[in-house]
Amino acid sequence: MRARRLLVLLAALAGVALAARLGLWQLSRAAEKEAQQAALESRGQEPPLASASLAHSPDEAAAQQHRRITLQGRWIGARTVFLDNRAMDGRAGFIVVTPLALPDGDAVLVQRGWAPRDAAERTRVPPVASPEGVVTVEGRVAAPPSRLYELGAEGQGAIRQNLDLDAFARETGLRLRPLSVQQADGAAADADGLLRHWPAPAFDVHKHYGYAFQWFALAALITGLYVWFQLVRPRLKRRA
């Protein structure tokens, strides 16, 4: 009997310790993401990044995310891609992505904005003007367009589900920088009719607090069950 009680005690202690440890880990993850969010928001308030400083490597690109920037270049309109099933303001449609040729010969993907899908003809893309000559693009440095779940191989037409940076560089022969720019509203951009209500980067901090609560609640439950079944209930039975 004593061995059984000891085994139950050890199992309860192990369960409480594990649940508490996982709860503390979730709190640490929440703190990390809060720090990342604060850093990103602070970066967004910094002066605009010089176009010559635009990142050439993934590490540099990560350090520049959410920085404001103004670029000059030429649209490569023939390589415009319409990313399908993308939502903005609660509506599904396309995110329009066009490469911008930079003066040094490189190119950067510009997420120009959102356009609605033609409900009558799903393969029809909206007309998006890409003016000839040098244009000025204001926006914020961002990661390449996010990926959605896709069945089968990636397409290579104008309408695509996803856009892989390396694959697109090989397909087009462009030297793409390892990032994208989310274009901001402005006098030069308003004429294309695209929406640019870009959502703030999601860090899901609340998710980690929720998980932490669940783990701590489990630790409390294990403790409560042990106290009731191993301590309180046996005493009540002896008194009865």
Side-chain angles (χ1 to χ4, degrees):
M1 180 65 71
R2 176 175 293 181
R4 179 179 176 277
R5 288 179 179 176
L6 180 60
L7 183 62
V8 172
L9 174 61
L10 292 176
L13 290 175
V16 170
L18 178 60
R21 179 68 186 87
L22 290 172
L24 292 173
W25 178 71
Q26 288 293 341
L27 289 181
S28 69
R29 289 289 294 145
E32 289 175 8
K33 290 196 173 182
E34 284 180 334
Q36 293 173 4
Q37 185 173 9
L40 203 65
E41 291 173 352
S42 174
R43 201 180 295 162
Q45 302 302 317
E46 294 179 11
L49 188 69
S51 58
S53 302
L54 189 64
H56 287 81
S57 70
D59 289 341
E60 291 176 343
Q64 292 180 358
Q65 279 197 32
H66 212 56
R67 285 288 301 272
R68 291 177 293 155
I69 191 167
T70 300
L71 297 173
Q72 287 190 326
R74 297 175 181 271
W75 291 122
I76 309 176
R79 294 297 186 177
T80 296
V81 172
F82 296 81
L83 295 181
D84 200 2
N85 297 316
R86 307 291 169 137
M88 187 169 287
D89 293 349
R91 294 188 293 165
F94 302 106
I95 293 295
V96 181
V97 182
T98 303
L100 182 73
L102 302 175
D104 65 357
D106 287 356
V108 61
L109 291 181
V110 178
Q111 300 184 52
R112 299 176 64 181
W114 178 92
R117 170 188 283 284
D118 188 324
E121 179 53 64
R122 293 182 61 85
T123 60
R124 182 182 300 161
V125 296
V128 178
S130 299
E132 298 288 339
V134 177
V135 297
T136 300
V137 176
E138 298 177 359
R140 291 185 184 273
V141 178
S146 60
R147 293 186 62 83
L148 301 180
Y149 182 75
E150 183 173 25
L151 293 173
E154 293 185 359
Q156 293 191 340
I159 298 178
R160 309 187 187 196
Q161 185 80 351
N162 294 299
L163 186 62
D164 181 81
L165 199 71
D166 293 334
F168 191 63
R170 292 192 297 271
E171 174 189 337
T172 59
L174 297 173
R175 296 201 311 267
L176 293 173
R177 300 290 180 94
L179 47 79
S180 71
V181 170
Q182 289 182 336
Q183 189 173 7
D185 284 326
D190 290 343
D192 58 27
L194 300 175
L195 289 182
R196 298 182 180 84
H197 302 161
W198 303 112
F203 287 90
D204 295 330
V205 175
H206 64 282
K207 176 182 69 176
H208 294 286
Y209 282 121
Y211 289 156
F213 174 80
Q214 292 175 11
W215 285 118
F216 290 137
L218 178 60
L221 177 63
I222 295 173
T223 302
L225 291 174
Y226 177 83
V227 170
W228 171 254
F229 285 105
Q230 298 299 316
L231 301 178
V232 176
R233 191 178 180 186
R235 290 183 181 180
L236 293 177
K237 283 186 175 181
R238 286 194 298 268
R239 292 180 182 178

